[in-house]
Amino acid sequence: MKTSSPPWSNDPVSDPSCEALYLCDRDSRDIWSPTALPIRVESATYIARHGQGYSRFEHLSHNIWSELTQIVSLSDPVKISHLVLENRSPRRRRLAVTGYLEWVLGFTRTVSAPYIITEMDGETGAMFARNPWHAEFGGRIAFADLGGLQTSWTGDRIEFVGRNGTLEQPAGLLGAGILSGRTGAGLDPCCALQTTIDLAPGERVELVLFLGQAPDRETARDLIRHWRAVAPRDELETIRENWEAVLGKIQVQTPDRAMDIMLNRWFLYQTLVCRCYARSAFYQAGGAYGFRDQLQDCLALVMTDPALVRTHIIRASGRQFREGDVQHWWHPPTGRGVRTHFSDDLIWLPYTVAHYLAATGDVSVLDEKTPFLEGEILAAEQEDAYFEPAASGETATVFEHCARALDLRLVTGAHGLPLMGTGDWNDGMNRVGHQGRGESVWLAWFLHAAFTGFAPVATARGEQERAQRWLTHATSLKEALEKQAWDGAWYRRAYYDDGTPLGSTSNTECRIDSIAQSWGVISGAADPLRARKAMASVEAYLVRTEDALALLFTPPFDQTSQDPGYIKGYLPGIRENGGQYTHAAAWSVIAFAMLGLGDKAP
């Protein structure tokens, strides 16, 4: 739930701003903003800097220099916008400073807006907003505060923007520019807080805008009072020290300075902030946990933040059904989510745990206990079901959750390869094996890696019989892969329910798929000579050096008579349908490096 963030536009072209700061000269009536949106002064320069835990925007126009620094508290659900203004003109200036935002308090503003109630809190003078109709967060309070300096305000977006108006020319700042003080229910809700300051020539002033949320009114008031007394620069320094402690643990030095910067800080930072904390990005702002998604992310963090990885392993183990399968994704706090026939989700738990143990030696995580889920069992012809499962009365250790996942994947199809279900790692191939007979070559490599990686864990716990069963199956998979999946110059990707190969020279579309090649190397199971030949084919057909692209597969699906699934809904060459996909590109890099072809990896 986005209780204290601007609406999600999903519009990368116009990128509309629904949160803004405005500066207005009370004498000349000139209006501008310290950032490039919503009011851009074409003759002026805007400088944007982004660091770990903060963003900073610098601007000079109308002889007023501004610096806006935005951070989020490490300890509290509060966003802090610290604005510094300096009068660089030879005369005294009288400026109105207005902070504006549009409340969401739900999934989308258009849906939740009719139910949002705003008010000015009598004790703190801050604006409160709530959505009592929200089933999960109806009692929570969102708040906005201009450091207690607000002298006029409105909770009515129509008043501020104007009917059919825009944020570039908000009606509420035209004319006298004094806001009405209107708040309550039944409005098109927003928050606009305004104060007026006088600046002598050369004088500086600092203002702070807070945006946050709390479980109740008293907690909201406590947060407001606390953060009014905290210097934003002190909190920024705390944030910097925190990120340095996390991101400074690993340092990579290569001949390429740009690569060093990305590897040492930005990739890890993005993984933590975007993938693990927010679980949100521009095109997918859902905030859900994906069973495979965050476990994959954790693979990159075992040295940087092992405590986070341990916590998430335990969390993920609790999203497994008694039958061994797992939720494809779920939303906290209710746990409502999707049950599917995807074949690889559950295997990421033992694969990640084995990686975590190898890196940390923390075997104690194996004895942590979580309950199994119980809920509607999918029929064979049912692709998925969205519901809120219940916690069963049965609990098990993390080890048992991992083992049950592996036990469930011992079934193979006609070619001795694992069944694909309604998709493996590539969700879009949801009709390759939806009838229960299609097989996945990639999944066979992945299972081989999981079985061989987790078997020693089972042996160490006295589960020799289980371990031997997994190792025996891994050997069978390896034999089937070399016998049934090799296509002459690379490995096939899968077999449809009717036995037709996918990722083969016999196909007109998706003739070669990169992950069936890279995971042959990563798993360590592919014949060494074939592995090199397969990766040479990846380089020849999928790596476009001139375009700096490493494609997932080629050619993309378009006119094929076979129905691989909703992947055909993407335009050819877009996303999973033959575009560059981050995981697949990274796996190719890893495979080249593992073959000793480091010069090809970058």
Side-chain angles (χ1 to χ4, degrees):
M1 178 181 178
K2 298 161 73 175
T3 55
S4 55
S5 62
W8 177 48
S9 68
N10 199 29
D11 184 348
V13 178
S14 61
D15 189 19
S17 173
C18 297
E19 182 180 358
L21 279 165
Y22 293 92
L23 304 176
C24 176
D25 189 308
R26 287 296 197 192
D27 298 322
S28 68
R29 302 297 183 190
D30 291 332
I31 302 173
W32 69 100
S33 56
T35 53
L37 285 177
I39 303 175
R40 185 182 186 93
V41 179
E42 294 298 335
S43 60
T45 299
Y46 295 83
I47 301 173
R49 300 182 180 92
H50 302 286
Q52 281 81 48
Y54 73 93
S55 289
R56 177 169 289 153
F57 307 90
E58 186 179 344
H59 178 53
L60 173 63
S61 66
H62 299 81
N63 287 317
I64 298 293
W65 175 84
S66 63
E67 181 185 76
L68 172 65
T69 304
Q70 296 189 308
I71 59 178
V72 174
S73 162
L74 289 174
S75 58
D76 295 320
V78 176
K79 176 181 178 180
I80 303 163
S81 298
H82 178 217
L83 179 65
V84 181
L85 300 175
E86 179 179 292
N87 181 5
R88 294 190 176 178
S89 70
R91 60 184 178 85
R92 179 173 290 275
R93 303 291 291 275
R94 187 164 176 262
L95 301 176
V97 180
T98 306
Y100 172 83
L101 62 95
E102 295 174 359
W103 299 111
V104 179
L105 308 187
F107 302 110
T108 61
R109 197 187 76 84
T110 52
V111 173
S112 60
Y115 311 106
I116 294 175
I117 301 171
T118 56
E119 62 179 289
M120 298 303 291
D121 178 50
E123 294 189 25
T124 63
M127 182 177 288
F128 283 1
R130 57 193 174 93
N131 177 3
W133 286 88
H134 197 288
E136 296 163 11
F137 303 103
R140 300 189 76 87
I141 298 293
F143 60 84
D145 176 53
L146 196 55
L149 300 178
Q150 50 267 15
T151 55
S152 68
W153 52 81
T154 184
D156 185 355
R157 181 175 174 275
I158 293 178
E159 173 196 339
F160 186 80
V161 177
R163 191 172 298 277
N164 300 321
T166 67
L167 291 180
E168 191 173 2
Q169 292 185 312
L173 298 183
L174 303 177
I178 304 298
L179 305 177
S180 70
R182 179 183 299 175
T183 59
L187 304 175
D188 182 1
C190 77
C191 172
L193 303 175
Q194 186 178 92
T195 190
T196 300
I197 59 171
D198 285 302
L199 281 177
E203 184 181 0
R204 280 194 179 195
V205 67
E206 299 184 21
L207 300 99
V208 184
L209 176 67
F210 301 111
L211 175 62
Q213 59 90 22
D216 53 58
R217 292 173 179 272
E218 284 308 312
T219 305
R221 289 167 181 150
D222 289 344
L223 287 171
I224 292 166
R225 295 186 185 106
H226 170 75
W227 285 102
R228 283 177 178 174
V230 175
R233 287 188 177 87
D234 292 343
E235 182 65 14
L236 175 59
E237 186 59 31
T238 300
I239 290 170
R240 281 175 163 163
E241 291 173 356
N242 174 78
W243 280 114
E244 184 59 39
V246 174
L247 303 178
K249 291 181 179 178
I250 296 177
Q251 291 297 303
V252 177
Q253 187 172 0
T254 74
D256 187 337
R257 175 60 177 156
M259 178 176 286
D260 293 349
I261 292 171
M262 298 304 290
L263 290 177
N264 291 332
R265 303 193 73 85
W266 281 107
F267 284 159
L268 289 171
Y269 177 75
Q270 184 181 30
T271 300
L272 281 163
V273 172
C274 177
R275 301 291 304 162
C276 295
Y277 298 159
R279 302 180 301 282
S280 181
F282 199 87
Y283 289 101
Q284 291 179 310
Y289 284 101
F291 195 90
R292 103 164 57 101
D293 297 29
Q294 273 67 46
L295 284 171
Q296 286 179 147
D297 299 327
C298 284
L299 293 171
L301 303 172
V302 290
M303 302 301 294
T304 302
D305 198 342
L308 180 148
V309 178
R310 189 182 197 276
T311 298
H312 186 67
I313 284 172
I314 297 169
R315 178 190 295 118
S317 71
R319 309 317 301 175
Q320 183 181 42
F321 292 96
R322 279 176 167 171
E323 295 76 17
D325 62 314
V326 299
Q327 286 183 299
H328 184 56
W329 56 260
W330 74 92
H331 271 292
T334 65
R336 191 179 300 118
V338 175
R339 190 174 194 176
T340 71
H341 290 298
F342 283 114
S343 56
D344 73 308
D345 281 342
L346 67 169
I347 304 303
W348 287 99
L349 181 63
Y351 184 83
T352 302
V353 169
H355 181 69
Y356 172 78
L357 295 177
T360 67
D362 175 24
V363 295
S364 66
V365 71
L366 296 170
D367 293 314
E368 295 287 348
K369 291 187 175 181
T370 57
F372 288 102
L373 300 177
E374 59 183 11
E376 173 190 351
I377 297 176
L378 297 181
E381 69 279 1
Q382 188 179 6
E383 191 162 306
D384 57 49
Y386 174 74
F387 62 93
E388 183 177 335
S392 74
E394 181 183 0
T395 62
T397 62
V398 167
F399 171 82
E400 180 59 28
H401 282 286
C402 293
R404 197 169 296 195
L406 291 172
D407 288 343
L408 197 63
R409 285 294 173 260
L410 295 171
V411 180
T412 57
H415 298 87
L417 301 170
L419 298 177
M420 190 163 181
T422 54
D424 55 17
W425 171 83
N426 194 329
D427 297 356
M429 294 184 177
N430 61 309
R431 295 185 65 80
V432 172
H434 71 290
Q435 295 175 0
R437 299 186 300 277
E439 299 161 273
S440 170
V441 171
W442 169 81
L443 182 60
W445 297 126
F446 181 47
L447 280 171
H448 187 282
F451 284 134
T452 56
F454 204 75
V457 179
T459 300
R461 293 176 67 90
E463 292 264 10
Q464 287 88 352
E465 183 179 343
R466 237 174 183 170
Q468 188 56 52
R469 185 164 63 246
W470 297 336
L471 291 174
T472 299
H473 191 68
T475 300
S476 298
L477 290 176
K478 183 175 181 178
E479 293 172 354
L481 282 160
E482 298 298 352
K483 183 178 180 180
Q484 303 289 349
W486 183 247
D487 199 65
W490 58 79
Y491 290 97
R492 296 170 180 173
R493 176 62 172 85
Y495 283 93
Y496 285 95
D497 286 307
D498 65 0
T500 302
L502 176 63
S504 165
T505 52
S506 63
N507 301 125
T508 57
E509 298 172 358
C510 190
R511 298 178 75 242
I512 176 172
D513 188 300
S514 72
I515 67 172
Q517 322 315 319
S518 60
W519 270 88
V521 178
I522 294 169
S523 67
D527 174 271
L529 293 178
R530 286 182 172 180
R532 284 186 171 273
K533 192 170 185 178
M535 290 307 297
S537 295
V538 168
E539 182 181 12
Y541 295 104
L542 296 175
V543 177
R544 295 182 179 176
T545 306
E546 67 281 4
D547 299 320
L549 291 174
L551 304 181
L552 177 56
F553 61 78
T554 196
F557 291 111
D558 189 16
Q559 303 295 327
T560 179
S561 58
Q562 292 281 356
D563 181 9
Y566 76 78
I567 191 170
K568 286 182 66 177
Y570 297 124
L571 293 174
I574 300 298
R575 288 184 56 118
E576 291 98 325
N577 193 9
Q580 175 168 297
Y581 210 83
T582 303
H583 293 77
W587 289 335
S588 294
V589 170
I590 292 170
F592 279 124
M594 289 179 69
L595 290 174
L597 302 173
D599 290 342
K600 297 183 185 298

